[in-house]
Amino acid sequence: MRLSGVIIAALAALPAVVECAAGRVHKDTIHHSSIIGTTAGRPTILPSPKTTGKQFIKSGRRTHTCFVDALGNGQDDSDNILQGFKDCSPDGTVAMLSQEYIVGKALDLTFLERVDWDLQGRITFTNDTDYWQANSFKYTFQNSSAFIQFGGYDVHLFGSGKGTLDGNGQAWYDLYAKDPLILRPILIAYNGLHQATVSGFKFRYSPQWYQIVIDSSDIIFDNIDIAGGSVSKNPAKNTDGWDTYRSDNIVIQNSHIVNGDDCVSFKPNSTNVVVQGLFCDGSHGISVGSLGQYYLVYDLVENVYVYNISMNNASDMARIKVWPGVQSALSVDLQGGGGLGLVNNITYDTMNIKNVDYAIELTQCYGQNNLTLCNEYPSTLVIQDVVFKNMAGVASKKYDPKVGTLICSSPTVCHNIAAYNINVVPPSGKTPTYACTNIDRSQLQINCV
Ligand SMILES: *[C@@H]1O[C@H](CO)[C@@H](O)[C@H](O)[C@H]1NC(C)=O
Ligand SMILES: *[C@@H]1O[C@H](CO)[C@@H](O)[C@H](O)[C@H]1NC(C)=O
Ligand SMILES: *[C@@H]1O[C@H](CO)[C@@H](O)[C@H](O)[C@H]1NC(C)=O
Ligand SMILES: *[C@@H]1O[C@H](CO)[C@@H](O)[C@H](O)[C@H]1NC(C)=O
Ligand SMILES: *[C@@H]1O[C@H](CO)[C@@H](O)[C@H](O)[C@H]1NC(C)=O
Ligand SMILES: *[C@@H]1O[C@H](CO)[C@@H](O)[C@H](O)[C@H]1NC(C)=O
Ligand SMILES: *[C@@H]1O[C@H](CO)[C@@H](O)[C@H](O)[C@H]1NC(C)=O
C-alpha cells in the first residue's frame, strides 16, 4: 500500500477574519508520531521604501490546507508534493512542516490558482545528474533548465525564515569542471507566475543560477537568504541570485546573498523592476544583461531602480553588459553578439562597496577582448538615461587606482549617462580613475582618464 501523505483539512470553522491557516497544530500522519509543527500563516509583504509605481493585488483567504508530510529515510517525496499542490489549487494552502524532504523528480507546479505554500523544512534535490539533465524543465534562453517551476495566479510562497531548498550542488560543480556543456539546473524557476510573493526562504547549493523569473509579472521577493559554495577545488560557477527574463513589475528586497556570479541580473525584457536593501557578498554585482546575445533579437530593459545595496568582495557593483555587434565567444558554453534593443531609464542609487573591483562597469564589448574589433562593429543595442549616484566605499586592489570603466562601442549608441556623488576610493588612497570610451563626459562627475 502506498501512503498518500497528503491530508486535506477543511477550515470552515475558522472565523472569516483569518486570511490563512496560521497557528494550526499538525500531527505526522505517516509515522503517527506526535506534533510535527504549526502552520505559519502568510506574511504581509509590501514594496518598501521604493515602489515600481505599479499595483500588487491583495489576496483573499485560503479555504483549506493540504499537509504534505515527509516519508523519511531518504524516500522521494516528489509525488506527494505534486499531489498536495493539485489538491490545494485552487484556494488552498500546501503546508510542509516536516524537517527533511527529498525531491528526485522534476516538479511542474505551473497550474496554481490562489495557492499559498507554507514550507518549514528543507527540500533536498537528489544529485542524480543523468536524471536531471534528461528531465529538468528546459528554457531556450542560455540553455537554462530548472529542478522545479512555479506558475499561475495569486500565489504566496513563504519559508518563514526556515523553509530551505537545497540544490545539492557539489556533484554538479565537479561534473561541470569536467564538461562545461552539461545542463546544470537552476534551483527554482518562476515560469508564468503572476501576482505572487516569495519570502523567508533559504536557498542553498544551487548547481547554477539560484532563481529565474521568466514570463512572469507582479512578484515581490522579500527576506531571501542565499548561500552555498563548493568544498572541492572546482568552484560553484554561474550561481546568480536572481535572473529576470521577459518579466514585468518585479521587486526584490531585504535579502542576503553570498554567491559567485551576478547578485541580481536583468536579462532581456525585464521592465519595471526595483531592487533594494540587499547585502551581496562574492558576486559579480547588480547587472543589466548580458543583452544583445542573440543575433537580431530585440532586448529591452527599462525602468529599473536599484537602491541601498551593500556590495562586498565582488567584481562589480553597478554593471551594464551588452554584447558587441559582432559574434564573440566568452567561453565554450557562452557565445553571442549582434542583438538589437534598448536599455532605458536605469538608476543605481545608494551603494556601499567594500573590496569591489569596479564600482561601475558599463560595456558594449561584452565577451569580446579585441576592442578594435568591437569598435568596428558597434553594438546595435542603445543604452540611454542611466544614472549612477550616491556610491561610496573602498574598491579592491585589482585595478588600483582604476575603480570603474564605461566603454561604449560608438558615441551614437550611448546617450544621457550620468554619474554623481560617487565617493569610491582605491585601497592605495590614490586619486580614483575611470576608463571612459565613446561616452559623453558632460554628466560624468568622475575622473575619466
Ligand atoms: C547551448 O548549448 C550548445 C551545446 O550544448 C552550445 O553549442 C551553445 O553555445 C549553447 N548556447 C548558449 C547560448 O549558451
Ligand atoms: C549525492 O548526494 C548524497 C546525499 O546528499 C551524498 O551522500 C553523495 O555524496 C552525493 N554524491 C556526490 C557525487 O556528490
Ligand atoms: C537599507 O537596507 C538595509 C537592509 O535591508 C536596511 O536595514 C536599511 O534600513 C536600508 N536603508 C535605507 C536607507 O533604506
Ligand atoms: C569578504 O570575504 C572574506 C573572505 O571570504 C570574508 O571573511 C568577509 O566576511 C567578506 N566580507 C563581507 C563584508 O562580506
Ligand atoms: C522583447 O520585447 C519586444 C517587444 O517590446 C519583442 O519584439 C522582443 O521579441 C522581445 N524579446 C525577447 C527576448 O523576448
Ligand atoms: C523610470 O523608472 C522609474 C522606476 O525605476 C519610474 O518610476 C519612472 O516613472 C520612469 N521614468 C519614465 C520617464 O518612465
Ligand atoms: C583585433 O581586431 C582587428 C580588427 O578586425 C584585427 O586587425 C586584429 O588582428 C585583432 N587583434 C587580435 C589580437 O586578434
XYZ file of all heavy atoms in Angstrom, residues 266-269 288-294 299-301 320-324 337 339-340 342-343 366 379 381:
210
model
N 19.323 41.482 -14.746
C 18.122 41.784 -15.533
C 18.390 41.340 -16.956
O 19.103 42.010 -17.705
C 17.815 43.278 -15.484
C 17.911 43.851 -14.094
C 18.935 44.714 -13.751
C 16.985 43.496 -13.126
C 19.039 45.233 -12.470
C 17.080 44.007 -11.838
C 18.114 44.876 -11.510
N 17.843 40.228 -17.332
C 18.032 39.673 -18.655
C 16.986 40.284 -19.610
O 16.150 41.086 -19.181
C 17.915 38.144 -18.582
C 19.038 37.485 -17.754
C 20.370 37.574 -18.459
C 21.421 36.605 -17.965
N 22.204 36.968 -16.794
N 17.019 39.909 -20.915
C 16.142 40.557 -21.897
C 14.678 40.687 -21.447
O 14.107 39.764 -20.891
C 16.267 39.633 -23.107
C 17.671 39.128 -23.017
C 17.937 38.962 -21.555
N 14.136 41.884 -21.745
C 12.735 42.201 -21.493
C 12.352 42.104 -20.015
O 11.328 41.526 -19.647
C 11.818 41.363 -22.399
C 11.961 41.801 -23.846
O 12.914 42.506 -24.203
N 11.022 41.406 -24.685
N 22.660 44.714 -15.446
C 21.741 44.741 -16.583
C 22.414 43.885 -17.662
O 23.516 44.198 -18.102
C 21.530 46.177 -17.104
C 20.690 46.164 -18.379
C 20.898 47.057 -16.032
N 21.789 42.796 -18.028
C 22.351 41.932 -19.065
C 22.960 40.655 -18.506
O 22.778 40.343 -17.348
N 23.638 39.927 -19.362
C 24.035 40.402 -20.669
C 22.857 40.493 -21.642
O 21.929 39.695 -21.551
C 25.126 39.510 -21.264
O 24.631 38.220 -21.524
N 22.964 41.492 -22.552
C 21.936 41.716 -23.560
C 22.579 41.707 -24.940
O 23.787 41.902 -25.076
C 21.267 43.079 -23.343
C 20.637 43.336 -21.973
C 20.079 44.750 -21.927
C 19.543 42.326 -21.682
N 21.768 41.519 -25.955
C 22.275 41.537 -27.323
C 23.024 40.280 -27.707
O 23.790 40.268 -28.663
N 22.781 39.229 -26.967
C 23.500 37.974 -27.213
C 22.995 37.262 -28.471
O 23.767 36.614 -29.160
C 23.335 37.060 -25.994
C 24.068 35.738 -26.108
C 23.857 34.867 -24.885
O 23.185 35.248 -23.936
N 24.427 33.674 -24.907
N 21.698 37.396 -28.715
C 21.101 36.636 -29.819
C 20.947 37.524 -31.051
O 20.299 38.576 -30.996
C 19.759 36.042 -29.380
C 19.949 34.970 -28.320
C 19.936 35.289 -26.967
C 20.200 33.650 -28.679
C 20.139 34.318 -25.997
C 20.407 32.672 -27.721
C 20.374 33.010 -26.385
O 20.588 32.046 -25.436
N 16.196 43.144 -27.458
C 16.160 43.019 -25.999
C 15.871 44.383 -25.374
O 16.530 45.365 -25.699
C 17.519 42.573 -25.447
C 17.884 41.151 -25.845
O 17.000 40.404 -26.289
O 19.070 40.801 -25.677
N 14.929 44.420 -24.438
C 14.585 45.669 -23.751
C 14.783 45.499 -22.244
O 14.301 44.522 -21.663
C 13.107 45.994 -24.026
C 12.519 47.205 -23.301
C 13.097 48.499 -23.844
C 10.997 47.203 -23.425
N 15.491 46.445 -21.626
C 15.489 46.517 -20.152
C 15.179 47.963 -19.799
O 15.890 48.881 -20.220
C 16.821 46.055 -19.529
C 16.827 46.320 -18.023
C 17.043 44.566 -19.777
N 26.460 47.137 -16.501
C 25.596 47.025 -17.683
C 26.433 46.341 -18.750
O 27.480 46.861 -19.154
C 25.107 48.409 -18.157
C 24.280 49.075 -17.031
C 24.280 48.286 -19.448
C 23.754 50.467 -17.370
N 26.025 45.161 -19.167
C 26.851 44.393 -20.107
C 26.065 44.019 -21.366
O 25.033 43.378 -21.302
C 27.467 43.160 -19.441
C 26.571 42.365 -18.532
C 27.325 41.199 -17.874
C 26.445 40.450 -16.885
N 27.018 39.242 -16.305
N 26.617 44.489 -22.477
C 25.958 44.317 -23.771
C 26.969 43.700 -24.743
O 28.121 44.136 -24.806
C 25.468 45.699 -24.289
C 24.994 45.612 -25.728
C 24.361 46.240 -23.390
N 26.515 42.709 -25.490
C 27.386 42.073 -26.488
C 27.621 43.037 -27.659
O 26.751 43.856 -27.966
C 26.747 40.785 -27.011
C 26.627 39.689 -25.993
C 25.659 39.568 -25.035
C 27.495 38.567 -25.817
N 25.876 38.443 -24.272
C 26.990 37.813 -24.741
C 28.647 38.122 -26.462
C 27.600 36.632 -24.295
C 29.247 36.946 -26.018
C 28.734 36.220 -24.946
N 28.766 42.964 -28.311
C 29.018 43.852 -29.459
C 28.190 43.451 -30.684
O 27.454 42.464 -30.651
C 30.509 43.670 -29.734
C 30.866 42.355 -29.162
C 29.896 42.073 -28.047
N 26.271 37.879 -29.617
C 26.534 39.174 -30.227
C 25.586 39.446 -31.372
O 24.959 38.530 -31.910
N 22.795 41.342 -31.306
C 21.388 41.579 -30.972
C 21.058 43.058 -30.995
O 21.931 43.914 -30.907
N 19.757 43.372 -31.113
C 19.266 44.743 -31.108
C 18.654 45.043 -29.750
O 18.455 44.147 -28.948
C 18.164 44.912 -32.166
C 18.393 44.326 -33.537
C 17.089 44.327 -34.318
C 19.458 45.122 -34.247
N 17.329 48.025 -26.438
C 17.377 49.283 -25.705
C 17.498 49.027 -24.205
O 16.766 48.205 -23.646
C 16.072 50.052 -25.981
C 15.899 51.414 -25.320
C 16.934 52.416 -25.822
C 14.484 51.937 -25.571
N 18.427 49.760 -23.592
C 18.496 49.839 -22.132
C 18.068 51.254 -21.788
O 18.707 52.212 -22.227
C 19.932 49.577 -21.633
C 20.037 49.852 -20.137
C 20.356 48.145 -21.940
N 30.937 43.195 -24.419
C 30.910 42.013 -23.559
C 31.308 40.766 -24.353
O 30.831 40.537 -25.463
C 29.504 41.828 -22.979
C 29.412 40.735 -21.950
C 30.075 40.832 -20.732
C 28.653 39.591 -22.194
C 29.989 39.836 -19.782
C 28.553 38.579 -21.239
C 29.229 38.709 -20.038
O 29.136 37.719 -19.110
N 27.784 48.079 -31.145
C 26.561 47.436 -30.688
C 25.353 48.092 -31.355
O 25.337 49.305 -31.584
C 26.457 47.577 -29.182
O 25.235 47.067 -28.753
N 22.520 47.910 -29.849
C 21.644 47.999 -28.686
C 22.001 49.282 -27.943
O 23.120 49.449 -27.469
C 21.888 46.755 -27.817
C 20.849 46.432 -26.770
C 20.759 44.938 -26.533
C 21.104 47.154 -25.480
